[in-house]
């Protein structure tokens, strides 16, 4: 996906476009008419926070240009999903009802109405920009090979960079859920979608975040970055996971199940 082409089409329909550069990321921001101007300032804060966190915690730097486009409400977000990603109307409608943001290529699209506070917006932008860090090492298809890892990483980085959310919040989400899925149900996009429809999207994110949190506790923060580096060199998620963490994927998922039970989070399904 070419940024120049995207921006050329955007500037006719969007109110303004501004750019900022920080620690390897070049961010172009476009606000659709009606979007609160404060959202642009929130992006600047989010970029600073994620770059600091990725460098200090993960020793991870990414030279990458990203375009963030902000829409003021759900309907305009749906229209932008169709326009920018050539989505069928039914798919754009589905996503607009269940997400506040979507990331593909070098492009992030956000429904600001879905993240109405400044703190929520910053956390949201950090989450989406974490995916962009992953895309600096592997393509989107490779990133989606183990979706609980990439979504969990985005949640963990959002917590580390903003201080919002975190392990106790994720635990509480699982405590309140009547039943929990398994990590194996969150590996690929199609599985994730079906699982989220049954168990709820917050539960899927909380499960993924706690799994990554546990992985980093056991294998170190750099293990996730190493996984994507290994995956780029040898596109085999099972081998890459073992090389990066020192444990097989199945063993980790089984150990995570035992940890959930020990924490009284896993009830009988």
């Amino acid at each position: 996906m070419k940024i120049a082409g995207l921006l050329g089409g955007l500037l006719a329909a969007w109110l303004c476009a501004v750019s900022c550069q920080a620690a390897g990321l070049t961010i172009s921001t476009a606000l659709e008419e009606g979007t609160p101007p404060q959202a642009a300032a929130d992006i600047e804060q989010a970029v600073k926070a994620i770059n600091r966190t990725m460098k200090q915690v993960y020793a991870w730097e990414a030279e990458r240009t990203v375009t963030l486009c902000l829409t003021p409400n759900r309907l305009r977000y749906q229209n932008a999903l169709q326009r920018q990603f050539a989505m069928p109307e039914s798919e754009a409608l589905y996503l607009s009802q269940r997400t506040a943001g979507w990331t593909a290529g070098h492009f992030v699209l956000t429904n600001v109405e879905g993240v109405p506070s400044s703190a929520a917006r910053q956390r949201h932008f950090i989450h989406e920009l974490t995916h962009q860090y992953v895309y600096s090492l592997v393509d989107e298809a490779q990133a989606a090979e183990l979706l609980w890892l990439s979504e969990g990483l985005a949640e963990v980085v959002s917590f580390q960079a903003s201080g919002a959310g975190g392990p106790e919040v994720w635990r509480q989400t699982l405590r309140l859920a009547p039943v929990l899925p398994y990590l194996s149900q969150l590996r690929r996009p199609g599985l994730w979608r079906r699982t989220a429809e049954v168990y709820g999207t917050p539960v899927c994110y909380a499960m993924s975040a706690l799994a990554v949190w546990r992985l980093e506790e056991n294998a170190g923060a750099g293990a996730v970055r190493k996984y994507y580096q290994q995956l780029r060199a040898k596109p085999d998620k099972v081998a890459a996971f073992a090389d990066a963490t020192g444990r097989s994927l199945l063993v980790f998922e089984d150990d995570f199940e035992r940890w959930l039970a020990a924490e009284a989070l896993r009830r009988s399904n």
Side-chain angles (χ1 to χ4, degrees):
M1 186 175 295
K2 296 182 178 179
I3 292 297
L6 281 170
L7 284 177
L10 282 169
L11 291 180
W14 298 66
L15 180 62
C16 64
V18 296
S19 296
C20 64
Q21 185 169 5
L25 286 180
T26 301
I27 305 296
S28 297
T29 305
L31 280 70
E32 194 174 31
E33 187 174 3
T35 303
Q38 173 62 32
D42 294 331
I43 289 174
E44 290 189 39
Q45 293 302 312
V47 171
K48 291 177 182 177
I50 189 173
N51 278 300
R52 180 177 62 250
T53 299
M54 296 304 272
K55 184 175 182 179
Q56 293 177 355
V57 177
Y58 294 91
W60 191 343
E61 296 185 62
E63 294 187 6
R64 188 171 177 84
T65 299
V66 183
T67 300
L68 277 74
C69 292
L70 312 184
T71 61
N73 55 52
R74 190 196 63 78
L75 181 58
R76 303 271 278 280
Y77 173 54
Q78 177 188 337
N79 292 337
L81 284 168
Q82 291 179 248
R83 183 172 64 249
Q84 300 306 325
F85 301 120
M87 279 186 189
E89 182 179 358
S90 58
E91 178 71 3
L93 175 61
Y94 178 92
L95 291 175
S96 72
Q97 293 172 337
R98 291 164 175 79
T99 70
W102 193 252
T103 302
H106 292 250
F107 193 79
V108 176
L109 183 66
T110 293
N111 169 21
V112 175
E113 185 180 55
V115 278
S117 73
S118 180
R121 283 194 294 268
Q122 290 183 38
R123 190 176 185 282
H124 168 81
F125 294 139
I126 292 168
H127 178 110
E128 299 300 340
L129 290 173
T130 301
H131 291 309
Q132 291 294 326
Y133 264 87
V134 171
Y135 297 163
S136 74
L137 293 179
V138 296
D139 62 32
E140 292 167 57
Q142 289 175 307
E145 282 290 315
L146 200 53
L147 198 55
W148 67 255
L149 184 67
S150 60
E151 293 296 350
L153 176 66
E155 287 294 288
V156 169
V157 172
S158 294
F159 161 65
Q160 291 171 324
S162 70
E168 188 49 43
V169 173
W170 304 325
R171 285 188 179 95
Q172 184 63 9
T173 298
L174 300 191
R175 288 190 192 104
L176 294 175
V179 66
L180 302 181
Y182 296 94
L183 285 181
S184 59
Q185 295 173 271
L186 301 172
R187 287 183 182 174
R188 299 296 303 275
L191 281 170
W192 177 289
R193 178 176 291 194
R194 290 193 293 272
T195 303
E197 289 174 350
V198 174
Y199 298 90
T201 298
V203 169
C204 295
Y205 278 111
M207 283 279 291
S208 300
L210 279 173
V212 172
W213 188 258
R214 288 286 297 166
L215 181 63
E216 291 184 1
E217 283 186 331
N218 294 327
V224 180
R225 171 180 51 79
K226 186 178 179 182
Y227 164 77
Y228 290 113
Q229 290 172 324
Q230 296 288 89
L231 190 63
R232 178 176 59 182
K234 182 172 59 177
D236 178 338
K237 68 175 180 289
V238 174
F241 191 91
D243 289 344
T245 69
R247 305 166 76 188
S248 79
L249 177 60
L250 289 176
V251 167
F252 173 79
E253 291 181 341
D254 286 345
D255 285 349
F256 183 66
E257 277 300 312
R258 284 189 284 272
W259 179 82
L260 288 175
E263 294 287 309
L265 297 173
R266 165 66 71 193
R267 279 85 64 194
S268 177
N269 276 11

